[in-house]
Amino acid sequence: LVWLLVLSLAWLCPALGGEEKDGEVVAEEEEEDEVLSDELEEEEDVLVLHEHNFARALSEHQLLLVEFYAPWCGHCQRLAPDFAKAASRLRNESSPVRLGKVDATAQTALASEFGITSYPTLKLFRDGNRTHPAAYTGRMDAEGIVRWLQRRAGPSATLLQDTDTAAAFVSSQDLVVVGFFKDLGGEAAQAFLEVAGEVVDMPFGVTAEEQLFQAYGLAADTVCLFKKFDEGRTDFPVDPTRGLDTAELTQQLRVHSMKLVMEFSSETSDQIFSVKIPHHMILFLNKSSSEQLALQDGFREAAGAFRGKVLFVVVDVAGYGAEVLPFFGMTPADAPTLRLVRMENNRKYQMEQESFSDTAIRSFVQGVLDGRVKPRLLSAEPPEDWDKRPVKVLVGKTFEQVAFDETKNVFVKFYAPWCSHCQAMAAAWEELGERYKDHEDIVIAELDSTANELENITISGFPTLHYFPAGPGRKMVEYKSARDVETFSKFLENGGTLPEEPPVVSDVPQ
């Protein structure tokens, strides 16, 4: 569930030193000593490439997408079935694109030549050119790979030359993008085609025909998004001075391709979280209640004023959305209710339920955007013996008084109960607590970050370790070294420093 951003794992494995597992490093595979020929062998329609056959593969295939992987990399292992599925599908469609793979830990010369710093890395080679491969920017699944490559194997946009063809194209799918340009060779048109090559989940058309400008009521260069919902069409006129900015157009298309109010489901969750709208306004309701369903009217009325700034989402607490309720500290009985989430730090804001009118919702959302509404922070209740244990159990309500006690040096583990790395480190942390339980100026503590939130400290991965030194100033030192008792002790005995790795010190605001 992507609202719980702290559950996210980095996609890329570190290329140097192997994949990390609970603080340890898995050794890289030793290079193969055997002499390889330039023959092109395959595994599940994927070319197996190495230093001796790489040049031949480039010369024989116009478009070659190569995955540089490490055998020990878990992300590479998860990608492998989708990569093979995409290879088979493209081959069955007689596509000019082939897929290949390189074990970058064994083929170190190729890895060095192409600057491979993480796994998996995918690069597209065109017309045998090995000096400027294109970085893969699509989704890491079979459908995403196929769509991305299909756009590069053919024209990224369909050329529309008459009204009948244009009308058929516009009505062909729920979402269609058409660029109207007086000069198809101009910078604006080229920028549009660049966007078309990247936004592969929408069909793109392009035209310079005057009759089509007239048919769609246009006088100047414009990008039009046609959709079979909401307002039906959104125009993006090209600024005659600034031209067409590819990043801006891409984001506008993403924003306006979504329904004004999205329903959270397995089919829409990826789209909801990939659009990068900074705030999500959420209506939690039980769809089996007609009374609660009627609340969507005011919710929809309010949504239009915040298009692009706030994404309005409906969550059915009795359906797919039930799984996200613990993240908000809610149960199905709390519906209907409204929450706003600031996506950059997962801060959550609760609207009082006096009214679900569009006016009340707009006022609440604007209050959050203006900083007038304070976040609602989750906090568990402290256990009765929270300060009697060797490792003190902190919650949101008690964190400030303990962590910023000017007479104590406080070492805190921020964890998630389900995190395997946290579980693996638990014994060492308990041993550390036992070692320092009789030190009056040192406190070893832990906080469950899935049940407790702090206003000025954002935890983005588990476990995260922070040291709060004694004295004034609300200082916080992030610990980034080895996770064993002896290194922890050395860190504490040296007042929150390690000779081999200077700590990052920051001020925590009030």
Side-chain angles (χ1 to χ4, degrees):
L1 301 176
V2 192
W3 273 312
L4 187 49
L5 297 180
V6 291
L7 297 185
S8 301
L9 297 176
W11 171 257
L12 299 177
C13 300
L16 301 177
E19 184 179 27
E20 293 185 4
K21 292 187 177 180
D22 296 333
E24 298 181 355
V25 177
V26 181
E28 294 179 353
E29 300 271 338
E30 295 183 356
E31 288 190 30
E32 296 179 359
D33 294 325
E34 59 182 298
V35 177
L36 302 173
S37 74
D38 69 346
E39 292 297 317
L40 294 175
E41 298 183 355
E42 300 180 11
E43 292 180 0
E44 298 181 293
D45 292 321
V46 177
L47 298 173
V48 180
L49 304 177
H50 46 75
E51 296 168 15
H52 301 277
N53 67 5
F54 198 84
R56 177 175 175 178
L58 292 180
S59 67
E60 292 186 6
H61 300 290
Q62 178 186 358
L63 290 170
L64 180 64
L65 180 68
V66 179
E67 176 201 2
F68 295 86
Y69 71 97
W72 43 257
C73 169
H75 303 301
C76 303
Q77 294 164 9
R78 286 189 287 274
L79 175 63
D82 280 289
F83 198 71
K85 184 178 178 181
S88 299
R89 178 173 162 184
L90 289 165
R91 194 169 190 182
N92 292 337
E93 294 174 355
S94 301
S95 170
V97 184
R98 288 301 306 272
L99 272 60
K101 61 182 180 180
V102 171
D103 178 352
T105 66
Q107 305 301 316
T108 55
L110 290 177
S112 176
E113 178 182 356
F114 300 115
I116 306 304
T117 59
S118 57
Y119 305 131
T121 293
L122 279 61
K123 291 183 178 289
L124 178 66
F125 297 83
R126 186 185 292 271
D127 298 324
N129 186 333
R130 66 190 293 161
T131 59
H132 295 92
Y136 178 79
T137 56
R139 296 200 324 253
M140 289 292 195
D141 58 41
E143 183 64 25
I145 292 170
V146 169
R147 286 187 177 185
W148 192 87
L149 290 171
Q150 285 174 335
R151 283 289 170 92
R152 281 145 185 83
S156 58
T158 301
L159 182 62
L160 306 175
Q161 296 179 301
D162 58 66
T163 55
D164 290 342
T165 303
F169 182 80
V170 167
S171 63
S172 63
Q173 296 193 35
D174 289 348
L175 283 168
V176 170
V177 184
V178 179
F180 296 81
F181 300 98
K182 300 291 186 179
D183 177 12
L184 292 183
E187 291 184 4
Q190 294 306 305
F192 173 80
L193 295 176
E194 183 180 336
V195 172
E198 293 296 329
V199 184
V200 298
D201 51 350
M202 303 180 205
F204 280 67
V206 66
T207 186
E209 299 297 329
E210 183 60 33
Q211 61 172 318
L212 293 183
F213 274 80
Q214 295 178 6
Y216 290 93
L218 301 172
D221 289 1
T222 305
V223 177
C224 297
L225 174 65
F226 296 92
K227 46 192 174 182
K228 295 180 179 178
F229 52 84
D230 292 342
E231 67 272 31
R233 169 178 162 181
T234 305
D235 291 357
F236 308 101
V238 177
D239 188 300
T241 303
R242 292 176 54 245
L244 195 61
D245 182 273
T246 56
E248 182 180 322
L249 177 60
T250 300
Q251 178 64 6
Q252 290 290 344
L253 291 175
R254 290 292 183 204
V255 168
H256 289 271
S257 67
M258 305 183 76
K259 293 181 178 179
L260 195 57
V261 174
M262 298 290 293
E263 181 172 344
F264 183 60
S265 68
S266 58
E267 291 77 23
T268 63
S269 59
D270 285 346
Q271 187 182 10
I272 287 171
F273 295 113
S274 65
V275 73
K276 294 181 173 61
I277 293 178
H279 303 84
H280 289 183
M281 181 63 177
I282 309 167
L283 170 60
F284 294 89
L285 53 76
N286 190 324
K287 291 186 68 177
S288 64
S289 166
S290 58
E291 182 179 353
Q292 292 189 25
L293 280 175
L295 300 176
Q296 294 181 103
D297 295 339
F299 194 64
R300 176 178 293 277
E301 287 294 324
F306 301 99
R307 172 85 86 166
K309 297 179 182 179
V310 181
L311 179 63
F312 280 60
V313 182
V314 171
V315 172
D316 180 11
V317 299
Y320 182 78
E323 295 184 12
V324 306
L325 295 180
F327 173 55
F328 293 89
M330 293 169 45
T331 68
D334 292 314
T337 187
L338 292 155
R339 300 285 191 279
L340 188 144
V341 182
R342 192 184 298 272
M343 299 301 290
E344 66 177 0
N345 56 17
N346 270 342
R347 293 290 178 264
K348 293 177 278 292
Y349 302 80
Q350 180 174 351
M351 178 178 167
E352 297 301 328
Q353 261 50 72
E354 294 179 0
S355 172
F356 285 86
S357 70
D358 61 313
T359 302
I361 294 172
R362 277 196 296 267
S363 176
F364 169 74
V365 173
Q366 194 61 55
V368 174
L369 299 182
D370 294 342
R372 291 182 283 105
V373 178
K374 297 300 181 183
R376 175 181 179 271
L377 302 175
L378 291 178
S379 178
E381 292 299 323
E384 291 185 4
D385 61 344
W386 71 270
D387 59 346
K388 303 296 189 297
R389 308 175 186 179
V391 175
K392 312 307 178 189
V393 180
L394 304 185
V395 297
K397 296 176 179 179
T398 59
F399 179 82
E400 286 276 326
Q401 70 187 64
V402 176
F404 296 110
D405 183 339
E406 295 184 0
T407 67
K408 309 289 187 184
N409 298 291
V410 185
F411 202 11
V412 182
K413 175 183 71 173
F414 298 86
Y415 73 99
W418 43 258
C419 169
S420 60
H421 298 289
C422 302
Q423 294 163 6
M425 202 186 88
W429 201 249
E430 288 295 329
E431 184 179 340
L432 187 70
E434 285 285 348
R435 181 173 295 191
Y436 288 95
K437 66 181 181 180
D438 296 325
H439 288 63
E440 292 187 2
D441 62 338
I442 293 178
V443 175
I444 308 301
E446 63 183 12
L447 182 140
D448 178 357
S449 290
T450 66
N452 300 278
E453 297 172 327
L454 306 173
E455 186 169 1
N456 295 308
I457 299 176
T458 300
I459 304 301
S460 57
F462 299 128
T464 291
L465 305 177
H466 284 313
Y467 176 77
F468 301 85
R474 294 173 62 85
K475 298 297 183 183
M476 179 176 73
V477 178
E478 184 172 2
Y479 178 90
K480 291 186 174 181
S481 297
R483 295 168 180 175
D484 61 80
V485 177
E486 295 308 317
T487 310
F488 289 151
S489 295
K490 183 187 297 185
F491 177 80
L492 290 170
E493 298 295 342
N494 284 280
T497 62
L498 282 173
E500 59 273 19
E501 185 179 357
V504 178
V505 181
S506 59
D507 289 320
V508 180
Q510 294 285 350

